[in-house]
Amino acid sequence: ILSGVEEDVEALLRNFIIKKHYTFESFSEVWKEMQFYYIFCGRPTVLEMKSFTRELLLLVKSFALSTFTVWERSGAIFLLYSLYFNQPLSQKVTIRTEHKEWLELRDFADKMKSINIQVSFCFYKLVVNHAFDFVFTNKPYNIESMKEDEVLKKEPIVKMHTKHKYDKFAMGTLLTSIGFDPNSSAQRESKYNEIKQLLNEKFPDVCNFEIRRFAVNLLVPNVDTEEKSTAQDSSATSSQKRKKREKKSKK
């Protein structure tokens, strides 16, 4: 859900540091230059917007913790402030914060009072507006998440073959491990191809559907199956060409 967002956040903080004026005005310039106000666009549902915003705030909060430099943390506080108050939701998504993280953030904000009061102001403005949700852990635990954790612990991790970009054996094992059945998909695809073939034969002037075999390629290699599939494809193609030639000769 945060695909590419972490790189954008890092780029924004990097550009903020390059400014060498660690004020909210400098941060605002970078925000506008990068058009970061579009970060919330493209979320079609409220549920997806909430999930995205929650994960985004957690990501930005991580940059405000003690593992980063003072100026990176300052930029992260500014970004946290901007994202929280600009999120397009009537009921604001809060920032899940563990006790240890809260102590780090509070101590940092107090320290910045003598260095850059704007950082402290943004932090305590978030506090006053109840932006922080004090939780035991950042990841919410419920029956569903506990079941997911149990499944992940029990199931072996399937890694793709590193030698080839596409390995049918590895792909077949991977698909099976997540509950996908390539065989049933291949059967449905075969029936779909039969319908397209019939339409091509019955209405050759208006129909020219391509016979695709995507699902078959997901199956574990089988020489007999592949030869049969190839023979069917070539037979279907030959049949189409023959019928077109016959129709032209009649004309």
Side-chain angles (χ1 to χ4, degrees):
I1 194 170
L2 288 179
S3 178
V5 174
E6 185 172 358
E7 289 80 1
D8 292 337
V9 171
E10 289 176 351
L12 183 141
L13 295 177
R14 186 165 54 250
N15 292 340
F16 170 68
I17 293 171
I18 291 172
K19 290 279 185 181
K20 294 184 179 179
H21 296 287
Y22 309 114
T23 62
F24 190 76
E25 289 76 17
S26 296
F27 173 83
S28 298
E29 290 177 9
V30 177
W31 171 280
K32 293 174 183 176
E33 288 169 4
M34 294 185 65
Q35 298 182 332
F36 223 78
Y37 38 79
Y38 288 124
I39 191 72
F40 294 107
C41 293
R43 309 295 160 182
T45 63
V46 174
L47 182 61
E48 186 177 347
M49 178 64 74
K50 285 183 177 180
S51 299
F52 172 76
T53 304
R54 185 177 296 108
E55 295 298 322
L56 176 60
L57 292 173
L58 285 174
L59 172 66
V60 176
K61 182 195 66 178
S62 67
F63 285 95
L65 300 176
S66 59
T67 51
F68 294 90
T69 66
V70 172
W71 306 120
E72 286 173 326
R73 297 177 73 183
S74 299
I77 293 292
F78 288 149
L79 182 55
L80 207 59
Y81 172 87
S82 302
L83 291 172
Y84 178 80
F85 287 108
N86 280 286
Q87 56 178 293
L89 292 166
S90 55
Q91 186 176 357
K92 300 289 187 186
V93 173
T94 53
I95 307 162
R96 294 178 65 88
T97 309
E98 298 177 9
H99 179 66
K100 181 182 177 182
E101 294 173 338
W102 164 253
L103 294 178
E104 286 187 22
L105 293 170
R106 186 196 61 187
D107 292 345
F108 176 68
D110 291 341
K111 176 184 175 182
M112 292 302 292
K113 287 179 181 178
S114 59
I115 303 173
N116 186 350
I117 192 65
Q118 291 180 330
V119 176
S120 298
F121 173 83
C122 288
F123 175 77
Y124 282 106
K125 181 72 178 294
L126 289 169
V127 174
V128 169
N129 283 271
H130 309 288
F132 293 99
D133 184 15
F134 301 105
V135 295
F136 176 73
T137 176
N138 284 322
K139 180 181 178 182
Y141 277 94
N142 49 40
I143 295 175
E144 287 74 17
S145 63
M146 290 173 68
K147 286 181 179 178
E148 288 177 4
D149 290 342
E150 289 178 4
V151 170
L152 290 173
K153 288 178 182 177
K154 291 179 181 179
E155 289 187 355
I157 298 173
V158 181
K159 294 184 178 180
M160 291 295 292
H161 202 288
T162 55
K163 187 177 180 181
H164 305 287
K165 289 183 179 179
Y166 177 67
D167 186 336
K168 284 188 178 181
F169 289 102
M171 178 60 76
T173 308
L174 177 63
L175 292 172
T176 304
S177 70
I178 62 175
F180 179 80
D181 185 3
N183 291 300
S184 61
S185 297
Q187 290 174 2
R188 288 194 294 270
E189 184 183 58
S190 178
K191 291 180 181 178
Y192 182 48
N193 284 334
E194 288 176 6
I195 295 171
K196 291 194 289 186
Q197 179 64 31
L198 288 172
L199 290 172
N200 286 341
E201 293 176 357
K202 193 168 184 179
F203 307 103
D205 293 334
V206 293
C207 295
N208 187 24
F209 294 108
E210 185 179 355
I211 307 300
R212 294 180 177 272
R213 297 198 174 273
F214 171 77
V216 171
N217 291 328
L218 297 177
L219 298 174
V220 174
N222 183 301
V223 177
D224 296 334
T225 304
E226 290 190 352
E227 287 179 353
K228 186 177 179 181
S229 175
T230 305
Q232 288 177 351
D233 288 344
S234 59
S235 175
T237 306
S238 301
S239 176
Q240 285 184 39
K241 290 181 179 178
R242 186 172 61 255
K243 287 184 179 294
K244 286 183 178 179
R245 283 198 301 269
E246 290 175 358
K247 189 168 184 179
K248 286 181 180 179
S249 62
K250 287 180 181 179
K251 289 181 179 179

